[in-house]
Structures are given as structure tokens and as C-alpha cells.
Amino acid sequence: MDIQTIGIVGAGQMGNGIAHVLALAGYDVKMTDVSGEALENAMKLIEGNMSRQAGRGKISEDDMATALKRIDTSTTLTDLGPSDLIIEAATERETVKQAIFEDLLPHLKPHTILTSNTSSISITRLASRTDRPEKFMGFHFMNPVPVMQLVELIRGIATDEETFSACKAVVDRLGKTAASAEDFPAFIVNRILMPMINEAVYTLYEGVGNVQSIDSSMKLGANHPMGPLELADFIGLDTCLAIMNVLHDGLADTKYRPCPLLTKYVEAGWLGRKSQRGFYDYRGDMPVPTR
Ligand code: NAD
């Protein structure tokens, strides 16, 4: 199946990165969001990130100009109807994602493949509420999308081979590497990564270390490029909490219970970098630990 037009739902951290790499790879991209401001910010970010790549000689000014012209934005979800492939990258909440697919269905072409960039929600369950579970799968990019090499491809129970191959071909054209994961809570990367981040928050909660000592211990002691709390702020604490809840509910094991301190940060609206405050405060020149 030949994919040329790709629709993206959600212009947040992930949506803008996905639009960036798809447009540079020559796809026609239409990105929607409920918020016009999110779309404007996304286009500014894409332009800034591409300029940086051009400055480093990774892409030419021509590549950049052509790619930017390939991205179209809209606040009307149904404008994605003519797409060959749709990548949903909206807020990590099942009801939000279900409503998006429900609204999209009457406007799609029969061959349109539906995918979700969800970090943890069951692909099989999302697929079962659509008219095309065999053409539905997980298309999970890593953050930041232009930098990270991996894309997890997750088959739901009904996903057919043609759909998998078509998505794999997109990953290949992006020059990224696909990892195939089964549809169990949080798939591969987050099944391993999130319990580590949650444990770092417990380590903070129990006073074993402060933000700085936990992050520098894991950077210098385990050779991680970023500390777990710095990484949690980068991912978004609401997303981290949502993934822990999916692991906890889906696998029914207390080892996945979210740390109460993580819940408290989210309740405060301290969601990490995207809200300027999380385990660090980003409002000044340098990030300052909040504990
Ligand atoms: P984000 O909060 O930065 O962006 C979400 C965007 O979705 C917002 O702009 C919001 O306005 C928009 N949105 C909400 N409801 C919508 C609707 N009904 N229709 C259209 N747009 C809507 O979140 P994010 O970090 O970009 O995460 C998006 C998805 O990607 C989530 O499923 C998340 O689990 C997944 N993901 C996140 C990361 C990460 O590191 N942040 C990594 C991989 C996957």
C-alpha cells in the first residue's frame, strides 16, 4: 500500500516532532489540534528545530523550505479524512483518543490506516471501537522525535500483515529503526523505563536522596545521559503518571503503583518542562531543583 498523505492528531511535544520528520521524508502532512495556539507553537518549534539542523549542515535550506510547505494545519479534525495514514498523538487519556477515532471514522477513506502514538493504552481495545481493527496499530515514536532512532510498532490482536508492512515502510523511509512489540501495557520501552522513573520518585519521596543527588547518581553511576527525574520532566509528569496507572490497572501488580509524590506534582499542575515546573523549576536561566 502506497502512503503519501499522513494526518496527525495533536500538535503537542510528540505531534510537532512527528510532523517534522514526516515532512522531511517527503510525506504530505496535515496536523490538527483542538487548540489553534498549540498548532501555531508547533509550527514555530518545527521551524526552529529545522533551522538548527540546517545550521549544522544536516539538511539544506531547500530541504527545509520544501518540508515546511508540506505541512498543513487545521483545528478541524475531519480535515484529516483524505489521509492514507493517521497518527493520533493527542493527550494520553483513553476517552480522548476514543472520541477522536469515533469522530474521524465517518470521514475516512476505506483504505486509511489508523494508528496511535499512545505510550501505554491497549491498541486492541482502541481498535475494537473502530470499523477497521485490522487496519489499526500502535505507532510509538520516542521523544524528541527528530533525534531518537526507535519507533515501536505494536500489533493489536486483529492487525493484518499489510497494515504492519505499510507502517514498517514508513519507519524505513524515515531512516529510523522499528521494534515490534506485543500489545501489553506500556509495550517494551515504557514497561522498563517508567517503573525506573517511578522508583526514582519513591527514592525522593522517602528522602533517600534529593533531586540533584538522584539524577547525578544515575548519570555518573549508571552512565545514563539524563537523570530519571530530569527525564520525567522532559516526558511530562502527567504522561508518566498515566503510564504508571495503565501498568498498575493492566497488570494488577502492586509493584507498579504510582508514587504519591508523582500524583501530587501532577495535581499541582507541575507537569515538567511543558508547564515550566516539575522536579525542576525552568522559569529562570538554569533549572533549579524543586526538592
Ligand atoms: P502534549 O500534552 O504535549 O500534547 C497533546 C496535544 O493533544 C495538545 O496540544 C492538546 O491540545 C491536543 N489534544 C487534546 N485533545 C485533543 C483532541 N480531542 N483533538 C486534537 N488534539 C487534542 O502530549 P505529548 O507528550 O505530545 O503526548 C501525546 C501522545 O504521545 C500521548 O499519547 C503520549 O503518551 C504519547 N507519547 C509521549 C511521549 C513523551 O515523551 N511525551 C513519548 C512517546 C509517546
Side-chain angles (χ1 to χ4, degrees):
M1 192 201 147
D2 195 25
I3 289 178
Q4 185 48 40
T5 308
I6 303 185
I8 301 173
V9 187
Q13 304 192 86
M14 297 305 290
N16 86 68
I18 297 168
H20 174 137
V21 296
L22 290 174
L24 276 179
Y27 291 105
D28 298 320
V29 177
K30 186 138 209 167
M31 181 164 56
T32 65
D33 200 290
V34 280
S35 151
E37 198 187 335
L39 287 167
E40 274 171 37
N41 288 340
M43 288 312 296
K44 275 190 215 135
L45 270 170
I46 293 171
E47 207 169 330
N49 291 338
M50 283 189 189
S51 294
R52 216 161 330 126
Q53 282 178 305
R56 284 199 223 106
K58 296 208 163 162
I59 58 173
S60 69
E61 295 286 343
D62 264 6
D63 293 338
M64 172 172 161
T66 318
L68 286 173
K69 274 196 222 123
R70 285 199 194 103
I71 308 175
D72 204 2
T73 62
S74 166
T75 50
T76 308
L77 179 70
T78 51
D79 284 351
L80 299 191
S83 311
D84 302 315
L85 166 70
I86 289 181
I87 303 177
E88 172 278 314
T91 310
E92 185 73 346
R93 204 170 311 129
E94 191 158 345
T95 48
V96 170
K97 295 185 187 293
Q98 271 170 3
I100 288 169
F101 290 123
E102 211 165 284
D103 291 349
L104 270 172
L105 287 180
H107 305 274
L108 300 178
K109 295 203 275 192
H111 74 263
T112 305
I113 292 176
L114 289 177
T115 68
S116 174
N117 185 51
T118 177
S119 306
S120 60
I121 298 169
S122 165
I123 297 302
T124 302
R125 206 164 55 233
L126 287 174
S128 73
R129 299 176 64 111
T130 71
D131 61 355
R132 59 193 74 200
E134 68 291 344
K135 289 193 184 307
F136 193 108
M137 61 183 287
F139 206 125
H140 185 217
F141 286 90
M142 308 291 132
N143 187 16
V145 180
V147 177
M148 301 298 278
Q149 270 304 303
L150 187 78
V151 179
E152 274 181 305
L153 291 180
I154 305 112
R155 287 184 178 89
I157 205 162
T159 310
D160 66 21
E161 208 40 50
E162 196 192 356
T163 301
F164 185 86
S165 307
C167 290
K168 168 81 167 53
V170 174
V171 177
D172 291 345
R173 184 157 149 195
L174 295 178
K176 295 194 183 287
T177 303
S180 166
E182 290 301 315
D183 182 26
F184 288 102
F187 321 127
I188 296 175
V189 173
N190 283 317
R191 171 77 177 263
I192 299 169
L193 178 64
M194 279 305 151
M196 186 205 64
I197 286 178
N198 194 48
E199 200 58 32
V201 186
Y202 267 112
T203 311
L204 179 67
Y205 176 62
E206 291 169 7
V208 182
N210 60 24
V211 168
Q212 200 139 34
S213 62
I214 292 167
D215 275 351
S216 57
S217 294
M218 292 306 285
K219 282 195 279 192
L220 304 178
N223 225 9
H224 288 191
M226 284 170 103
L229 299 172
E230 193 186 354
L231 179 57
D233 274 359
F234 186 71
I235 294 168
L237 303 190
D238 51 341
T239 300
C240 293
L241 179 61
I243 298 171
M244 284 313 296
N245 279 323
V246 167
L247 280 167
H248 194 225
D249 297 345
L251 298 167
D253 189 326
T254 53
K255 76 176 174 182
Y256 298 115
R257 67 190 197 285
C259 178
L261 185 62
L262 179 61
T263 308
K264 195 191 293 248
Y265 269 79
V266 174
E267 283 171 352
W270 293 14
L271 307 181
R273 277 187 181 270
K274 64 181 166 189
S275 65
Q276 300 259 292
R277 224 178 330 181
F279 293 113
Y280 294 84
D281 187 333
Y282 300 93
R283 291 171 299 170
D285 291 340
M286 295 289 287
V288 178
T290 53
R291 280 176 101 83

